[in-house]
């Protein structure tokens, strides 16, 4: 009987341990994914065009820590981004929020491209219109002396 | 090309030249902050020398100068004498408090730094970097002035020396201690 109880307890232990461990790993992985997704949207403020997920700078590491801590506390990704925005302003976002003067950043390249294209189109059309259809004007008539000289040279 | 097209082209080019000028020759220390006029985060941390907790909460109602520094930071050494002088200037005013915040540093290095260069005010440790992030700090040294209402009134990135020392002492702290308004561009 005692042997049987030992067997059952051992079996339960073996069965329960890996599953609980796996559950922890899955939780950790989910948290890691969330940290990564948020960290990729936040700029490393002491680096050149790097987000805090990719940067090895100490400040970026600490920012990742803050993201992780806040996720563990149950903050939503929007809350966390809002927190960083409130500390560093729009600069912290890898994609500047589309409001106010930031619209120039979003629309500027397209406006310049469109404006430049229209300008180029107008100029090309203008050049084409200003250019005469017949590229060469008829040559001026030869005077008598030149005509005789030309005939003489052709005959010789 | 019409006159209006030429004018537009010139204006666009001038705009682009201005952006290049600002990017290349503008003041790199000028980092706009969104914190001016907002409530100062009530941070706390252990004292670098004694280990006792220091909290900004206990200094509510006073003008507080927060100076972020590190022992490995060259510009912190450059400003150290000025910072001590600034404290000497206002330390007798009961409404003034100065707190150093030791940032991204090892405790023995920070303690050795204070021992070597001397200090006359308390310094708290930013153990996990959370304090610096709460204040939107980019690097060290950075200095913040908080008014009696607990609002951040001024932020400066770089060593508080020369004209910045004069500006902070005469145009920011002195008026705040007298209850006068200050113009505080970021």
């Amino acid at each position: 009987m005692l042997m049987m109880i030992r067997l059952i307890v051992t079996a339960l232990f073996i069965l329960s341990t890996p599953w609980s461990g796996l559950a922890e790993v899955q939780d950790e992985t989910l948290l890691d994914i969330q940290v990564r997704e948020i960290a990729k949207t936040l700029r490393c403020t002491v680096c050149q065009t790097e987000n805090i997920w990719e940067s090895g700078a100490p400040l970026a590491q600490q920012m990742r820590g803050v993201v992780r801590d806040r996720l563990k506390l149950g903050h939503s990704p929007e809350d966390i981004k809002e927190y960083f925005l409130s500390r560093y302003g729009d600069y912290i976002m890898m994609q500047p929020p589309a409001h106010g003067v930031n619209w120039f950043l979003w629309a500027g390249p397209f406006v310049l491209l469109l404006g430049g294209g229209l300008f180029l189109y107008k100029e090309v059309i203008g050049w084409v219109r200003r250019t005469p259809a017949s590229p060469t004007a008829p040559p001026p008539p030869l005077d008598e002396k030149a005509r005789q000289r030309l005939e003489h040279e052709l005959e010789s | 090309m019409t006159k209006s097209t030429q004018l537009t082209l010139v204006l666009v080019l001038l705009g682009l030249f201005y952006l290049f000028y600002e990017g290349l020759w503008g003041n790199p220390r000028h980092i706009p902050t969104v914190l001016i006029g907002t409530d100062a985060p009530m941070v706390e941390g252990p004292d670098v020398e004694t280990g006792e907790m220091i909290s900004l909460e206990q200094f509510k109602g006073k003008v507080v100068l927060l100076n972020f520094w590190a022992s490995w930071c060259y510009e912190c050494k450059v400003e150290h004498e000025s910072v001590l002088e600034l404290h000497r200037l206002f330390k007798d005013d009961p409404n003034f408090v100065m707190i150093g915040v030791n940032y991204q540093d090892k405790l023995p290095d920070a303690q050795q730094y204070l021992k070597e260069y001397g200090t006359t005010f308390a310094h708290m440790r930013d153990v996990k970097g959370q304090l610096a992030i709460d204040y939107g700090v980019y690097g060290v040294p950075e200095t913040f002035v908080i008014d009696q209402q607990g609002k951040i009134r001024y932020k400066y990135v770089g060593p508080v020396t020369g004209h910045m020392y004069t500006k902070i002492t005469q145009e920011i702290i002195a008026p705040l201690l007298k209850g006068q308004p200050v113009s505080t561009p970021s």
Side-chain angles (χ1 to χ4, degrees):
Chain A
M1 184 66 184
L2 191 62
M3 193 67 173
M4 183 71 85
I5 291 170
R6 277 180 184 167
L7 271 173
I8 291 168
V9 169
T10 309
L12 281 174
F13 179 77
I14 290 168
L15 282 172
S16 64
T17 305
W19 287 109
S20 62
L22 188 60
E24 273 177 27
V25 168
Q26 281 174 339
D27 283 351
E28 189 63 22
T29 306
L30 186 64
L31 183 65
D32 281 345
I33 291 166
Q34 284 184 304
V35 171
R36 187 176 65 236
E37 291 309 309
I38 296 169
K40 277 183 172 178
T41 66
L42 300 173
R43 184 190 306 279
C44 168
T45 53
V46 293
C47 320
Q48 295 283 331
T49 62
E50 256 188 320
N51 60 50
I52 65 166
W53 179 254
E54 289 163 355
S55 171
L59 181 60
Q61 287 174 17
Q62 287 164 347
M63 284 178 168
R64 290 199 296 269
V66 169
V67 172
R68 181 177 291 274
D69 290 347
R70 286 183 176 247
L71 280 171
K72 280 180 181 170
L73 287 170
H75 293 214
S76 70
E78 284 69 33
D79 290 343
I80 294 168
K81 287 176 193 172
E82 194 54 46
Y83 163 72
F84 279 98
L85 269 169
S86 72
R87 305 293 95 193
Y88 288 94
D90 290 347
Y91 181 70
I92 194 73
M93 304 306 294
M94 288 300 284
Q95 286 194 347
H99 62 72
V101 289
N102 287 352
W103 275 113
F104 285 108
L105 292 173
W106 286 99
F110 299 106
V111 170
L112 282 176
L113 196 68
L114 192 68
L118 278 174
F119 171 74
L120 202 63
Y121 174 77
K122 271 180 70 178
E123 285 304 302
V124 169
I125 291 292
W127 289 336
V128 169
R129 281 184 186 151
R130 283 193 297 272
T131 310
S134 168
T136 52
L142 290 173
D143 58 17
E144 188 55 26
K145 194 178 169 185
R147 193 185 62 78
Q148 283 178 2
R149 187 180 160 203
L150 192 63
E151 277 179 2
H152 174 71
E153 284 185 7
L154 284 170
E155 282 166 8
S156 61
Chain B
M1 202 186 300
T2 62
K3 289 237 170 182
S4 61
T5 312
Q6 286 176 346
L7 189 68
T8 310
L9 205 60
V10 168
L11 286 175
V12 169
L13 283 174
L14 280 176
L16 288 174
F17 276 125
Y18 173 76
L19 289 176
F20 275 119
Y21 175 82
E22 275 297 307
L24 293 174
W25 290 285
N27 180 9
R29 293 204 186 285
H30 178 73
I31 301 172
T33 176
V34 289
L35 293 170
I36 302 298
T38 63
D39 290 331
M42 289 294 120
V43 293
E44 60 177 18
D47 190 304
V48 171
E49 291 169 300
T50 65
E52 289 173 18
M53 287 304 283
I54 302 173
S55 170
L56 274 198
E57 194 80 37
Q58 67 197 79
F59 304 120
K60 264 191 169 175
K62 295 175 188 282
V63 173
V64 181
L65 186 140
L66 272 187
N67 177 249
F68 286 79
W69 65 276
S71 65
W72 44 262
C73 154
Y74 172 74
E75 289 195 316
C76 302
K77 293 183 179 89
V78 169
E79 73 165 6
H80 195 80
E81 272 308 312
S82 291
V83 168
L84 290 179
E85 181 56 37
L86 195 152
H87 185 238
R88 268 193 291 276
L89 195 64
F90 294 107
K91 71 180 168 57
D92 294 330
D93 192 314
N95 289 320
F96 179 74
V97 175
M98 197 157 155
I99 304 286
V101 183
N102 181 237
Y103 169 71
Q104 288 184 357
D105 214 344
K106 290 174 182 157
L107 182 58
D109 294 348
Q111 288 171 332
Q112 178 59 32
Y113 179 93
L114 293 179
K115 205 172 163 185
E116 191 177 334
Y117 292 92
T119 188
T120 52
F121 54 94
H123 300 264
M124 67 166 85
R125 288 195 72 210
D126 185 2
V127 182
K128 289 175 74 180
Q130 176 67 60
L131 278 61
I133 295 170
D134 276 346
Y135 275 86
V137 166
Y138 285 80
V140 279
E142 275 194 31
T143 301
F144 294 82
V145 181
I146 302 162
D147 69 12
Q148 282 107 324
Q149 286 72 46
K151 304 270 186 205
I152 296 173
R153 283 287 156 225
Y154 194 73
K155 171 188 176 175
Y156 180 65
V157 180
V160 179
T161 53
H163 79 281
M164 278 317 300
Y165 172 83
T166 312
K167 184 181 173 69
I168 289 179
T169 53
Q170 293 179 10
E171 295 176 29
I172 309 292
I173 299 173
L176 283 177
L177 287 169
K178 290 176 192 160
Q180 295 169 349
V182 290
S183 64
T184 54
S186 60

